[in-house]
């Protein structure tokens, strides 16, 4: 029975589409950018995101409604992204050393690759999307859940 | 009178907005905007007056900076910024828990607590990986973390090893997370950002790179005075791991000495306190009258951010 499962996971590979390098790169960049987000919430700090601590959440929401026209509206109109601010700085024209030159260069050590399902060191790559896996069980899980999801 | 810290190479638009907020909206009499690492360096030089140079590693929420200081002045050519910080570690932990166990993408605060309670820096990465793969009692790395439900359990906590049940479920109805390799794989990103795909050097390599870019005669001074500050330094085992990695990167004839203060988070704040009492403080500050007469130029020249 184990043999059957193994062959089905790998035989299917011949019939699946393979993502090209540009798409893989785009997926990676999307994942990395998702890691950089701030998770900033007004009124957060202690307590859960959905309020089960009743009293605090009620007062925050009523305050928010009152101030919505002034505070939030102002922020929505004049909010600038980090990338916009960075472009505005025009750092390529400024003298070194500056924000861009201070970025750490790429590592000289080879990257260590981990299975995207269980997190242990991996030895094999998924043929369609390039994700790493460590065993055929992890490959099955990967195929069923994450393989071609969120593809551009 | 206020001392406020800013990141290195902060954008001029933000610096100008800061000036406006401090002087025009809050009407402070005098203000000092300074890098957090400069305050740490001041603290270090005050506690060890014989040293001339030090290297401050400031690992915070958004990023990590490696900054060499010589005679209390930062050396701009040596500053390195790694875009890995507490924010990235928590977001990554959220993602892997959401994929493997329980959907927690909205629970930033809870997972932040998990990261602080349970994660540590391993001294031998691959050995710990092997131990984490074992089953049952032999897996000494695995821990169960009890999640808060905000009615009976207000704050999450890590279950002590004696109470853990290895096979089957717990009798009580609490929600738990089982963490094995995540415990040390997450802080590992500070040492190897390439684990996750970020094309940057980790902290030990960046320290070596930063010191390499400076004049050769200063190298021993910098390696002997490495100061670790910031929230990410609270992971157990960080200092030993960093010293071991640096020892393998640095030439054998140079001694390496890494200093971790008892409270890395407040080290720069204490430095600010010392600075406020020092005699040069009044020359570093910008008074409100100066700002109102001359505008942003006076701040740009005096605060060397």
């Amino acid at each position: 029975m184990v043999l059957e499962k193994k062959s089905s996971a790998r035989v299917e590979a011949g019939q699946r589409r393979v993502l090209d390098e540009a798409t893989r790169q785009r997926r990676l960049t999307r994942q990395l950018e998702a890691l950089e987000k701030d998770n900033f919430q007004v009124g957060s700090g202690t307590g859960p995101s959905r309020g089960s601590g009743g009293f605090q959440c009620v007062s925050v929401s009523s305050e928010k409604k009152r101030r919505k026209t002034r505070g939030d509206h102002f922020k929505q109109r004049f909010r600038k992204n980090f990338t916009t601010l960075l472009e505005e700085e025009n750092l390529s024209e400024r003298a070194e050393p500056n924000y861009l030159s201070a970025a750490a260069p790429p590592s000289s050590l080879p990257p260590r690759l981990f299975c995207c399902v269980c997190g242990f060191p991996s030895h094999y790559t998924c043929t369609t999307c390039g994700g790493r896996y460590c065993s055929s069980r992890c490959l099955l899980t990967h195929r069923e859940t994450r393989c071609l999801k969120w593809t551009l | 009178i206020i001392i406020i810290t800013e990141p290195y190479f902060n954008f001029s638009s933000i610096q100008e907005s800061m000036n406006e907020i401090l002087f025009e909206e809050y009407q402070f009499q005098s203000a000092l905007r300074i890098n957090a690492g400069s305050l740490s360096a001041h603290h270090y030089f005050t506690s060890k007056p014989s040293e001339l140079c030090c290297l401050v590693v400031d690992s915070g929420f958004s990023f990590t900076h490696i900054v060499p200081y010589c005679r209390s002045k930062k050396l701009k050519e040596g500053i390195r910024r790694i875009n890995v910080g507490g924010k990235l570690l928590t977001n990554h932990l959220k993602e892997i828990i959401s994929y493997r166990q329980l959907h927690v993408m909205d629970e930033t605060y809870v997972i932040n607590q998990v990261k602080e309670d349970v994660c540590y820096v391993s001294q031998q990465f691959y050995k710990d990986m092997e131990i984490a793969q074992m089953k049952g009692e032999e897996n000494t790395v695995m821990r169960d973390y009890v999640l808060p439900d905000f009615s009976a359990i207000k704050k999450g906590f890590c279950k002590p090893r004696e109470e853990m049940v290895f096979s089957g479920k717990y009798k009580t109805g609490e929600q738990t997370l089982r963490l094995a390799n995540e415990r040390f794989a997450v802080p590992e990103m500070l040492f190897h950002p390439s684990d996750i795909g970020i094309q940057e050097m980790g902290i030990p390599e960046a320290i070596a790179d930063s010191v390499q870019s400076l004049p050769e005669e200063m190298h021993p001074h910098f390696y002997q005075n490495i100061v670790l500050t910031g929230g990410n330094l609270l992971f157990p085992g960080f200092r030993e791991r960093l010293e071991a990695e640096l020892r393998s990167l640095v030439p054998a004839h140079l001694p390496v000495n890494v200093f971790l203060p008892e409270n890395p988070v407040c080290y720069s704040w204490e430095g600010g306190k010392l600075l406020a009492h020092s005699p040069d403080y009044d020359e570093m500050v910008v008074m409100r009258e100066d700002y109102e007469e001359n505008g942003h130029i006076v701040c740009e020249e005096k605060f060397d951010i």
Side-chain angles (χ1 to χ4, degrees):
Chain A
M1 205 159 85
V2 175
L3 277 174
E4 266 184 50
K5 266 195 179 171
K6 265 191 189 168
S7 57
S8 73
R10 311 231 2 256
V11 153
E12 264 186 57
Q15 301 142 7
R16 295 171 83 96
R17 77 180 232 245
V18 174
L19 292 182
D20 64 326
E21 189 56 41
T23 325
R24 291 185 186 186
Q25 199 52 41
R26 268 203 300 262
R27 287 183 88 196
L28 261 177
T29 337
R30 285 269 259 4
Q31 282 167 358
L32 285 181
E33 276 172 17
L35 281 177
E36 283 284 331
K37 61 179 174 11
D38 220 2
N39 305 312
F40 175 69
Q41 287 167 9
V42 184
S44 76
T46 56
S49 59
R50 304 166 300 279
S52 61
F55 301 122
Q56 291 169 332
C57 284
V58 166
S59 60
V60 166
S61 59
S62 61
E63 273 177 41
K64 261 174 82 174
K65 276 181 199 156
R66 245 177 277 141
R67 284 199 200 135
K68 197 175 178 185
T69 45
R70 282 176 59 209
D72 274 359
H73 187 234
F74 185 72
K75 280 184 201 161
Q76 290 282 17
R77 277 174 60 198
F78 296 107
R79 187 196 308 168
K80 282 187 188 169
N81 268 343
F82 180 72
T83 30
T84 338
L85 283 175
L86 184 58
E87 281 165 16
E88 280 182 1
E89 281 293 302
N90 265 334
L91 285 167
S92 43
E93 299 169 14
R94 296 256 191 95
E96 299 252 317
N98 58 27
Y99 178 81
L100 291 178
S101 74
S107 171
S108 44
L109 300 171
R112 309 184 300 192
L113 304 155
F114 299 99
C115 173
C116 54
V117 176
C118 63
F120 290 108
S122 74
H123 291 286
Y124 317 107
T125 319
C126 171
T127 46
T128 48
C129 71
R132 308 283 302 186
Y133 62 97
C134 60
S135 59
S136 51
R137 211 171 339 135
C138 283
L139 176 63
L140 272 172
T141 320
H142 168 80
R143 281 267 159 79
E144 285 163 14
T145 49
R146 252 219 282 227
C147 193
L148 286 177
K149 254 192 175 183
W150 317 304
T151 318
L152 288 168
Chain B
I1 306 176
I2 184 171
I3 302 181
I4 190 164
T5 61
E6 284 192 344
Y8 295 92
F9 300 123
N10 201 6
F11 302 151
S12 47
S13 49
I14 302 184
Q15 291 193 33
E16 288 173 12
S17 314
M18 260 312 214
N19 290 335
E20 285 170 14
I21 295 176
L22 289 176
F23 287 120
E24 290 170 24
E25 198 168 320
Y26 288 118
Q27 305 265 311
F28 277 105
Q29 287 289 357
S30 64
L32 171 64
R33 284 188 297 106
I34 194 172
N35 298 121
S38 307
L39 296 177
S40 312
H42 179 81
H43 189 167
Y44 189 71
F45 289 133
T46 321
S47 57
K48 293 200 177 170
S50 55
E51 304 293 343
L52 295 168
C53 312
C54 79
L55 186 82
V56 174
V57 176
D58 185 3
S59 185
F61 180 68
S62 313
F63 35 52
T64 303
H65 277 113
I66 314 255
V67 190
Y69 278 87
C70 187
R71 296 177 210 278
S72 300
K73 275 199 76 72
K74 66 179 189 234
L75 303 176
K76 285 194 178 174
E77 323 76 58
I79 299 186
R80 296 287 179 271
R81 179 191 71 251
I82 309 173
N83 291 321
V84 175
K87 169 176 71 174
L88 196 92
L89 300 179
T90 309
N91 280 338
H92 185 233
L93 188 58
K94 279 195 316 191
E95 260 195 57
I96 53 186
I97 294 182
S98 298
Y99 186 56
R100 297 173 194 172
Q101 297 184 48
L102 179 68
H103 183 80
V104 289
M105 288 305 282
D106 299 320
E107 311 283 346
T108 310
Y109 189 76
V110 175
I111 302 298
N112 207 43
Q113 198 59 47
V114 173
K115 182 187 79 170
E116 290 172 11
D117 288 340
V118 135
C119 288
Y120 70 97
V121 180
S122 89
Q123 304 303 317
Q124 318 127 343
F125 183 63
Y126 288 108
K127 243 193 222 167
D128 277 351
M129 272 292 182
E130 280 173 33
I131 300 177
Q133 279 178 312
M134 297 199 275
K135 300 209 194 304
E137 289 270 348
E138 291 177 353
N139 187 346
T140 47
V141 173
M142 178 177 65
R143 288 278 186 277
D144 278 344
Y145 187 87
V146 178
L147 293 173
D149 59 0
F150 301 103
S151 52
I153 310 171
K154 292 286 179 198
K155 184 172 176 286
F157 61 94
C158 182
K159 234 185 179 69
R161 192 123 183 120
E162 302 79 48
E163 294 177 21
M164 273 175 66
V165 172
F166 292 99
S167 45
K169 292 208 161 126
Y170 285 103
K171 296 290 191 295
T172 48
E174 60 215 0
Q175 278 186 315
T176 54
L177 293 175
R178 179 152 281 194
L179 302 168
N181 63 8
E182 296 91 350
R183 281 185 76 195
F184 54 89
V186 165
E188 195 64 25
M189 295 203 310
L190 289 163
F191 291 88
H192 292 271
S194 47
D195 282 357
I196 204 169
I198 296 177
Q199 303 296 333
E200 285 182 3
M201 323 176 126
I203 295 184
E205 288 179 87
I207 293 181
D209 184 68
S210 167
V211 177
Q212 279 294 108
S213 68
L214 299 166
E216 181 118 22
E217 60 270 6
M218 297 169 126
H219 291 187
H221 296 279
F222 282 119
Y223 283 127
Q224 280 179 304
N225 299 300
I226 301 180
V227 186
L228 305 178
T229 56
N232 289 325
L233 279 303
L234 295 169
F235 285 129
F238 196 104
R239 199 200 79 88
E240 290 75 23
R241 174 68 187 275
L242 185 64
E243 199 165 347
E245 295 257 350
L246 268 181
R247 187 67 274 177
S248 59
L249 285 171
V250 161
H253 61 276
L254 297 173
V256 165
N257 183 19
V258 175
F259 172 62
L260 180 69
E262 321 79 45
N263 192 347
V265 181
C266 297
Y267 193 67
S268 48
W269 187 89
E270 312 264 324
K273 202 169 74 161
L274 289 172
L275 186 66
H277 293 303
S278 79
D280 333 302
Y281 179 67
D282 294 314
E283 294 152 7
M284 300 169 70
V285 181
V286 168
M287 312 293 289
R288 181 149 60 92
E289 297 78 37
D290 269 342
Y291 171 76
E292 283 172 359
E293 264 186 54
N294 302 317
H296 294 296
I297 298 289
V298 72
C299 291
E300 204 180 303
E301 288 171 0
K302 251 193 173 174
F303 304 145
D304 173 37
I305 298 212

